[in-house]
Amino acid sequence: MALTLWRDARLVTLAGDTGWGLIEHGALLADGDTIAWAGPEAELPAGLAPEAEHRLGGALVTPGLIDGHTHLVYGGDRAREFELRLQGASYEDIARAGGGIRSTVAATRAADEAALFAAALPRARALAADGVTTLEIKSGYGLALEAEARCLRVARRLGAETGLTVKKTFLGLHALPPEYEGRADDYVTAAIGWLPALHAQGLVDAVDAFCETIAFTPAQVERFFTAARTLGLPVKLHAEQLSDQGGAALAARHGALSCDHLEWLSPAGVRAMAAAGSVAMLLPGAFYCLRETKLPPLAGLREAGVPVALATDHNPGTSPILSPTLVMNQACTLFRMTPEEALRGFTVNAARALGLADRGRLEAGQRADLAVWDLGHPAELAYWMGRAPCRGTVVGGIAR
């Protein structure tokens, strides 16, 4: 494999469970797509003969960011609904008029694969320009077998086109499609029936659902998760966003990788997640856009030792955000996370939320995914807004 050396860098290794792991005058050596060595430049191993060497002029280097919860593939947008909400329309008013998730479903179903890809590619590139090297993309706006498969194929193609690692999640239980109005159990049965075919095509890395009064019941999610686990697929859950449905504890019983949103998470839910090793994926973008006031129980999660991840939750309705650094700022400002917790939320803990043990830190044996920043200190990642400080990324040892 080819040896590549980056030197004259300020490395934010995130080694250990706490602290930045900051190395002021650092260097990093990659052997192909894997970090072979990282440490003070003065301690570089002797006799190196790298094929390529890059001097970074004191730039800050962090692990590549991991956006572990997005809905990046969809048709249309919901900018008009944003305007209507500001004029006083409720979510229910908009939904009754054909808006909400169902409007995105209609637009997504009407778009062919080429159109969905053309719309999603600039979104993926925007995330990459803000330091992202690994990305999760959910389906959930097709809500029919071929439409869901089309979205998942686009997600896979986005990875091939951009070089990003893309993990594909089948969000089969996102909303009830109009043709199943009043027949939610029948729709759950249909979605379960699609799972083997989607899995056989290599389109599903994990399964997700929305457990909420306006979406699917715990019993319906239980059926869906049982089918997924039978196929060996990991699960995650949109849980406790608007009310406490006991979804986090349900997901934890199935060994969920993560439970996401969690504003209404109960102490019992925290304990269940801690026992199962599930990650708490907080989504301050949706909290901000919906003007929510119920804060997730960050202190309880900290006390229980539940890892806390962050994500953009990019979607057309409730979080049209394409900047992890903005979300870091929101997490610190709205949820009172520390800047270090925010960065770990987009690296170490986001990797855990996707079941990936090979990235998130700058250490030997980890994947050579890096983000290079024109910043003086890692706390600035959560401080600046609108600055676009990412100089570039390295994905699997290859500069992007």
Side-chain angles (χ1 to χ4, degrees), residues 375-393:
L375 296 171
H377 190 276
E380 293 181 55
L381 286 164
Y383 169 69
W384 296 106
M385 291 182 284
R387 181 174 171 178
C390 186
R391 182 189 298 182
T393 59

Side-chain angles (χ1 to χ4, degrees), residues 90-160:
S90 69
Y91 183 86
E92 291 76 11
D93 293 336
I94 292 169
R96 279 196 297 270
I101 291 175
R102 283 189 175 180
S103 68
T104 300
V105 171
T108 302
R109 288 179 171 183
D112 64 17
E113 199 162 318
L116 290 172
F117 178 79
L121 183 59
R123 300 171 195 144
R125 287 177 171 161
L127 291 172
D130 207 38
V132 169
T133 56
T134 297
L135 176 64
E136 186 252 22
I137 300 176
K138 303 179 190 295
S139 65
Y141 288 124
L143 304 183
L145 176 56
E146 179 47 37
E148 288 288 292
R150 186 161 62 245
C151 292
L152 292 165
R153 287 194 299 269
V154 168
R156 180 168 60 188
R157 184 180 168 193
L158 287 170

Side-chain angles (χ1 to χ4, degrees), residues 148-180:
E148 288 288 292
R150 186 161 62 245
C151 292
L152 292 165
R153 287 194 299 269
V154 168
R156 180 168 60 188
R157 184 180 168 193
L158 287 170
E161 176 74 19
T162 62
L164 300 173
T165 298
V166 172
K167 303 296 284 185
K168 306 173 296 297
T169 297
F170 174 47
L171 178 53
L173 302 193
H174 191 196
L176 192 64
E179 64 269 24
Y180 280 91

Side-chain angles (χ1 to χ4, degrees), residues 191-399:
I192 289 171
W194 304 335
L195 257 176
L198 294 172
H199 183 40
Q201 295 173 57
L203 294 175
V204 183
D205 298 311
V207 161
D208 197 352
F210 186 18
C211 185
E212 191 50 78
T213 55
I214 62 170
F216 294 91
T217 68
Q220 289 163 344
V221 172
E222 183 87 55
R223 289 177 55 207
F224 190 55
F225 280 2
T226 298
R229 299 300 291 142
T230 299
L231 291 172
L233 289 167
V235 303
K236 52 185 69 178
L237 186 66
H238 287 60
E240 274 74 272
Q241 180 184 10
L242 305 174
S243 63
D244 181 9
Q245 297 295 305
L250 182 162
R253 289 198 300 273
H254 289 271
L257 289 173
S258 70
C259 299
D260 303 23
H261 286 290
L262 301 179
E263 284 87 338
W264 291 84
L265 180 66
S266 69
V270 172
R271 290 192 297 271
M273 290 179 63
S278 299
V279 174
M281 179 71 78
L282 303 186
L283 305 171
F287 181 93
Y288 166 83
C289 289
L290 291 173
R291 293 183 289 180
E292 295 289 349
T293 57
K294 176 72 171 175
L295 292 167
L298 182 60
L301 293 166
R302 285 171 174 154
E303 184 178 353
V306 176
V308 177
L310 294 171
T312 63
D313 186 23
H314 176 82
N315 73 79
T318 61
S319 188
I321 295 174
L322 289 166
S323 171
T325 53
L326 174 59
V327 172
M328 288 186 208
N329 179 278
Q330 291 174 329
C332 294
T333 303
L334 300 175
F335 294 169
R336 302 299 191 266
M337 291 177 71
T338 69
E340 182 199 328
E341 286 176 324
L343 179 57
R344 285 181 178 270
F346 268 106
T347 52
V348 178
N349 294 335
R352 289 187 60 171
L354 295 181
L356 298 172
D358 66 344
R359 66 200 70 196
R361 291 183 170 91
L362 301 184
E363 294 180 321
Q366 291 271 287
R367 182 174 159 87
D369 286 355
L370 321 173
V372 182
W373 308 89
D374 288 321
L375 296 171
H377 190 276
E380 293 181 55
L381 286 164
Y383 169 69
W384 296 106
M385 291 182 284
R387 181 174 171 178
C390 186
R391 182 189 298 182
T393 59
V394 175
V395 184
I398 300 173

